[in-house]
C-alpha cells in the first residue's frame, strides 16, 4: 500500500504539490490524470523518495520512507519498477545490460538465468532480439518499451508508469495496455499509470484520480469518471480548450 | 531608448555578496559531504572492481598520450631555460639535477594535474551531468543502486590511483626531453647531464611530488563528480558543468599546491 499524506513540494517559488493526499491499495490499478505540468511526474517521484517533500509523508507498506536508512530505502525501491517519462535508459549500456542491471546488482541469479530473464522481458514488450543494441540506436517508442522491460525485470510488486503509451503507435500502445493489465491481474502487481491517453486510462485502470492545482480533486471508477459532473474533470476528459481548468488554474497563469 | 540604471545601493550590493558567499558555502558543504561519502564508499570498491578498472583505463590510460606529449616539452623547455638561467653563474653540470628537482617537485605534478582537470574532471562532469538531466541518475536510484557507489566511487579511486602513475611517467619522459636538449642542443655529454643527479637526488622530493599527485587526483575527480551530480537544465547546464568542473579543479590544484608546498618544504 502506498499512502501519500498532505504532501507539499515547491521548486524555488513555484509550488507544485499543495497538500496532496492519496492512498493506493495493494493490487489496485490506478490512473493519475491531470494537465501537462501539473506535477504528476513529481508526485510519482515522491513515491520512491527520488524527490524529498517540503512537508508531508510518504508511507510504503506502513513505513514512512523518510524515516528509513538509505539501505532500507534502497531495499524498498527494489519492490518498485518505474517507467520514466523520458525512458531514462543508461546510454553507456546495451539494451540487455540496461534490463539486467538490477538483477546483476541485487539477485543471486547466474549469468544464464539473467540472460533468460532479459529475453523474457524483451519478449513481453515485443522487442525480441535487440539485446545488443545501444539506446541511441532505438526509436523513441522502442526506448519506452525497453524502459518498461527494465522496470519489470526484477518482478516488482509495484510498477509506476509515467506516460507509458505516449509516442507509441496505436498498436504498440494497445500491446502495452494489455501488458499493464496482464501484470496487474496475473502477477498481482499494484499499478500506477500517469497518462493523458484517455483510451489507455479507461482500459487499464480500475480507479482514476485527477491531480489539479497540486491536489487530488477527484477519485472514481472509470464509469464514475465518464459520468461525473465535476467541471474540471469533464473539461479534461473531453479535451476542451475552454472550461474551468483554463480559467481557474493558477499553475498555468 | 536607454533608461538610466540606478547604481546599486550599498544594501543591495551587500545582499548580493552575502548570497554569493552563502551559495559558495553551500556548494563547499555539499562537495565535502560527497567526499566523505566517497571515502566511506571505499569498502565496496573490491566488489565493484570491474567498474574501477574500466575507469582506470578510461581516465588514466587514455590520458597517457597527452600527458607524455606535454611531459616531453616541459622537460625540454625546463632544460633550455635552466641553461639560460645558470649560464655564467653555476657550472652546467648542475643542469641535470636542477631540472630534475623542478620537474619532480612542481612541474610534473601541477602540469599533469591541470591536464587531468581539463580532460578527466570536465569529462566526468559532462557524463554525470548528462545522466542527471536525462533522469539516468534517478533511474539508478529507482533500481536501488547508489549513484555515489556506482558512479562516483570507481571514478574517484581510479583517478586517485592513476594520477601518481601518470605523474611518474610524465617526470620520466620530461627528463628524457631535458637530456635530449642538453646533449643535442646545448652540447653537453650525456654523462655531464646525468652524473650529478645521484648526488643531489632526494627521495623526499619524489614522495612530496607523488603526495601532490594524490591530492590533485582527489580534487579533480571530486569536482567532476560534485559538479556532475548537481547539474541542472539540459544541454546548456551540461556545458556549464564542464566549465565549472575545469575551473574549480584548476583553482583547487593551484591552491592545494601552495598549501602543500608550505607543509612539505
Ligand atoms: N527538478 C525540478 N526543478 C524545478 N522544477 C521542476 C523540477 N521538476 C519538475 N519541475 C516543475 O514542476 C512542475 C510539474 O512538473 P511535472 O514534470 O511533474 O509535470 P507533469 O504533470 O508530469 O507534466 P507532463 O504531463 O507534461 O509530463 C513543472 O512546472 C516543472 O517545471
Ligand atoms: Mg510528466
Amino acid at each position: 500500500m502506498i499512502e501519500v499524506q498532505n504532501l507539499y513540494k515547491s521548486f524555488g517559488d513555484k509550488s507544485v504539490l499543495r497538500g496532496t493526499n492519496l492512498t493506493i491499495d495493494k493490487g489496485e490499478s490506478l490512473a493519475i490524470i491531470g494537465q501537462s505540468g501539473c506535477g504528476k511526474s513529481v508526485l510519482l517521484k515522491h513515491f520512491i523518495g527520488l524527490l524529498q517533500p517540503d512537508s508531508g509523508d510518504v508511507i510504503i507498506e506502513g513505513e514512512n520512507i523518510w524515516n528509513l536508512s538509505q539501505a532500507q530505502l534502497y531495499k524498498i525501491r527494489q519492490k518498485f519498477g518505474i517507467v520514466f517519462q523520458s525512458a531514462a535508459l543508461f546510454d553507456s549500456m546495451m539494451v540487455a545490460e540496461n534490463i539486467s542491471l538490477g538483477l546483476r546488482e541485487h539477485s543471486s541469479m547466474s549469468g544464464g538465468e539473467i540472460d533468460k530473464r532479459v529475453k523474457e522481458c524483451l519478449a513481453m514488450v515485443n522487442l525480441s532480439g535487440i539485446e545488443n543494441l545501444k539506446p541511441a540506436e532505438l526509436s523513441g517508442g522502442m526506448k519506452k518499451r525497453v524502459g518498461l522491460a527494465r522496470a519489470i525485470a526484477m518482478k516488482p510488486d509495484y510498477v509506476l508508469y509515467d506516460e507509458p503509451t505516449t509516442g507509441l503507435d496505436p498498436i504498440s500502445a494497445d500491446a502495452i495496455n494489455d501488458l499493464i493489465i496482464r501484470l496487474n491481474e496475473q502477477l498481482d502487481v499494484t499499478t500506477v499509470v500517469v497518462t493523458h491517453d484517455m483510451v489507455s486510462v479507461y482500459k487499464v485502470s480500475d480507479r482514476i484520480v485527477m491531480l489539479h492545482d497540486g491536489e487530488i480533486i477527484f477519485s472514481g471508477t472509470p464509469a464514475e469518471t465518464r459520468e461525473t459532473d465535476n467541471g474540471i474533470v469533464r473539461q479534461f476528459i473531453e479535451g476542451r480548450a475552454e472550461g474551468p481548468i483554463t480559467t481557474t488554474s493558477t499553475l498555468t497563469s | 531608448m536607454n533608461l538610466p540604471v540606478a547604481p546599486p545601493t550599498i544594501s543591495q550590493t551587500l545582499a548580493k555578496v552575502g548570497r554569493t558567499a552563502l551559495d559558495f558555502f553551500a556548494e563547499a558543504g555539499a562537495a565535502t559531504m560527497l567526499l566523505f561519502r566517497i571515502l566511506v564508499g571505499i569498502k565496496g570498491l573490491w566488489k565493484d572492481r570491474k567498474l574501477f578498472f574500466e575507469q582506470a583505463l578510461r581516465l588514466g590510460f587514455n590520458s597517457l598520450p597527452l600527458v607524455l606529449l606535454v611531459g616531453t616539452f616541459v622537460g625540454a623547455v625546463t632544460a633550455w631555460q635552466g641553461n639560460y638561467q645558470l649560464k655564467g653563474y653555476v657550472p652546467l653540470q648542475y643542469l641535470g639535477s636542477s631540472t630534475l628537482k623542478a620537474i619532480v617537485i612542481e612541474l610534473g605534478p601541477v602540469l599533469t594535474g591541470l591536464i587531468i582537470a581539463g580532460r578527466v574532471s570536465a569529462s566526468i562532469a559532462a557524463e554525470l551531468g548528462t545522466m542527471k538531466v536525462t533522469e539516468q541518475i534517478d533511474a539508478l536510484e529507482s533500481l536501488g543502486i547508489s549513484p555515489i557507489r556506482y558512479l562516483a566511487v570507481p571514478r574517484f579511486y581510479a583517478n586517485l590511483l592513476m594520477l601518481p602513475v601518470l605523474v611518474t611517467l610524465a617526470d620520466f619522459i620530461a627528463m628524457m626531453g631535458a637530456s635530449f636538449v642538453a646533449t643535442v642542443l646545448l652540447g653537453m655529454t650525456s654523462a655531464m647531464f646525468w652524473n650529478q643527479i645521484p648526488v643531489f637526488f632526494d627521495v623526499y622530493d619524489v614522495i612530496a611530488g607523488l603526495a601532490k599527485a594524490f591530492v590533485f587526483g582527489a580534487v579533480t575527480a571530486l569536482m567532476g563528480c560534485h559538479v556532475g551530480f548537481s547539474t541542472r537544465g539540459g544541454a546548456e547546464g551540461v556545458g556549464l558543468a564542464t566549465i565549472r568542473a575545469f575551473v574549480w579543479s584548476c583553482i583547487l590544484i593551484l591552491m592545494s599546491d601552495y598549501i602543500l608546498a608550505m607543509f612539505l618544504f
Side-chain angles (χ1 to χ4, degrees):
Chain A
M1 193 160 89
I2 305 172
E3 291 163 271
V4 168
Q5 294 171 353
N6 219 11
L7 218 55
Y8 280 81
K9 178 70 180 179
S10 311
F11 295 101
D13 47 17
K14 180 183 183 104
S15 78
V16 178
L17 302 180
R18 307 174 189 176
T20 312
N21 286 291
L22 181 62
T23 301
I24 303 165
D25 287 323
K26 198 139 187 85
E28 190 173 15
S29 181
L30 179 82
I32 301 175
I33 59 174
Q35 235 192 330
S36 188
C38 75
K40 303 180 297 295
S41 300
V42 167
L43 178 60
L44 215 56
K45 285 184 181 176
H46 278 88
F47 290 174
I48 57 167
L50 293 178
L51 286 171
Q52 184 164 15
D54 300 334
S55 68
D57 294 311
V58 177
I59 297 162
I60 308 287
E61 297 180 355
E63 306 254 29
N64 187 328
I65 61 169
W66 289 103
N67 293 340
L68 298 175
S69 71
Q70 179 171 308
Q72 289 169 316
L73 177 60
Y74 280 167
K75 201 95 205 147
I76 288 209
R77 283 182 184 163
Q78 291 174 37
K79 297 183 183 176
F80 281 80
I82 217 189
V83 182
F84 287 86
Q85 188 168 2
S86 63
L89 301 181
F90 305 117
D91 43 33
S92 63
M93 300 181 196
M94 290 182 304
V95 166
E97 293 170 313
N98 262 283
I99 298 172
S100 64
L101 183 63
L103 295 169
R104 282 182 279 135
E105 289 289 323
H106 300 301
S107 79
S108 51
M109 286 165 79
S110 70
E113 287 168 327
I114 288 177
D115 288 347
K116 195 163 149 262
R117 180 75 190 141
V118 168
K119 281 207 164 64
E120 265 169 38
C121 292
L122 277 175
M124 279 195 256
V125 295
N126 286 332
L127 284 176
S128 295
I130 64 157
E131 283 89 340
N132 295 328
L133 296 184
K134 281 277 182 76
E137 299 170 272
L138 306 178
S139 76
M142 288 164 90
K143 283 184 196 156
K144 256 282 155 56
R145 286 184 280 160
V146 172
L148 210 168
R150 179 177 70 187
I152 59 182
M154 293 213 285
K155 304 198 168 152
D157 300 336
Y158 303 84
V159 183
L160 314 179
Y161 304 86
D162 198 347
E163 309 203 4
T165 53
T166 29
L168 300 188
D169 65 89
I171 299 168
S172 302
D174 201 51
I176 296 300
N177 289 337
D178 286 338
L179 177 64
I180 294 172
I181 294 167
R182 202 164 74 233
L183 288 169
N184 176 247
E185 287 177 354
Q186 295 174 3
L187 302 174
D188 205 26
V189 172
T190 307
T191 302
V192 182
V193 185
V194 164
T195 185
H196 303 131
D197 173 357
M198 289 311 293
V199 178
S200 173
V201 169
Y202 288 132
K203 184 158 181 184
V204 304
S205 65
D206 38 51
R207 183 159 72 101
I208 298 168
V209 298
M210 179 156 177
L211 184 64
H212 182 69
D213 274 356
E215 289 179 59
I216 299 291
I217 54 142
F218 173 84
S219 167
T221 63
E224 285 164 359
T225 309
R226 278 199 176 93
E227 275 142 36
T228 180
D229 43 21
N230 182 322
I232 294 173
V233 180
R234 285 235 73 83
Q235 186 192 350
F236 186 87
I237 60 178
E238 288 166 8
R240 280 183 285 113
E242 300 288 320
I245 295 180
T246 21
T247 49
T248 62
S249 172
T250 50
L251 273 178
T252 49
S253 61
Chain B
M1 192 180 81
N2 285 326
L3 291 171
V5 180
T9 64
I10 291 179
S11 72
Q12 276 171 340
T13 312
L14 279 179
K16 198 166 174 207
V17 170
R19 250 195 316 275
T20 313
L22 279 182
D23 284 350
F24 175 78
F25 285 117
E27 286 271 322
T32 311
M33 191 65 204
L34 178 62
L35 176 64
F36 177 74
R37 293 171 71 180
I38 289 174
L39 292 177
V40 173
I42 195 174
K43 58 184 194 289
L45 196 60
W46 177 248
K47 203 179 134 256
D48 291 326
R49 57 190 178 280
K50 194 168 152 268
L51 298 171
F52 169 83
F53 287 121
E54 250 172 51
Q55 294 304 325
L57 194 69
R58 198 170 72 99
L59 304 179
F61 187 74
N62 293 346
S63 299
L64 206 51
L66 185 59
V67 166
L68 293 184
L69 181 78
V70 173
T72 313
F73 280 97
V74 166
V77 86
T78 308
W80 184 263
Q81 287 294 145
N83 171 55
Y84 172 75
Q85 288 173 13
L86 299 183
K87 205 168 48 188
Y89 306 100
V90 182
L92 214 53
Q93 68 256 38
Y94 296 118
L95 182 64
S97 47
S98 71
T99 304
L100 181 72
K101 279 206 191 266
I103 287 172
V104 167
I105 294 175
E106 184 67 21
L107 295 175
V110 172
L111 290 175
T112 309
L114 293 176
I115 293 172
I116 293 299
R119 208 185 163 278
V120 169
S121 193
S123 106
I124 294 178
E127 188 188 15
L128 302 191
T130 304
M131 292 185 73
K132 175 74 199 258
V133 300
T134 56
E135 297 184 309
Q136 293 177 55
I137 303 275
D138 279 344
L140 265 187
E141 289 267 4
S142 78
L143 292 172
I145 296 171
S146 154
I148 293 181
R149 192 210 98 208
Y150 196 78
L151 300 171
V153 166
R155 282 166 179 73
F156 182 85
Y157 289 103
N159 203 42
L160 195 71
L161 196 82
M162 288 312 280
L163 215 75
V165 175
L166 289 174
V167 166
T168 307
L169 293 171
D171 289 353
F172 184 76
I173 196 124
M175 284 312 287
M176 294 296 130
S179 96
F180 175 83
V181 167
T183 52
V184 176
L185 302 178
L186 300 177
M188 294 170 70
T189 63
S190 187
M192 255 174 92
F193 184 77
W194 292 101
N195 277 358
Q196 289 296 322
I197 286 182
V199 181
F200 291 95
F201 182 79
D202 191 344
V203 184
Y204 184 76
D205 295 346
V206 176
I207 295 173
L210 292 184
K212 285 183 176 182
F214 260 114
V215 173
F216 300 161
V219 296
T220 46
L222 180 67
M223 279 300 114
C225 293
H226 166 66
V227 170
F229 283 148
S230 46
T231 302
R232 264 183 284 176
E236 190 191 7
V238 174
L240 288 177
T242 59
I243 299 174
R244 259 163 36 91
F246 175 65
V247 170
W248 277 108
S249 290
C250 290
I251 292 173
L252 288 175
I253 285 173
L254 297 172
M255 270 172 41
S256 59
D257 183 48
Y258 179 75
I259 294 167
L260 282 169
M262 309 290 282
F263 276 103
L264 291 167
F265 304 103

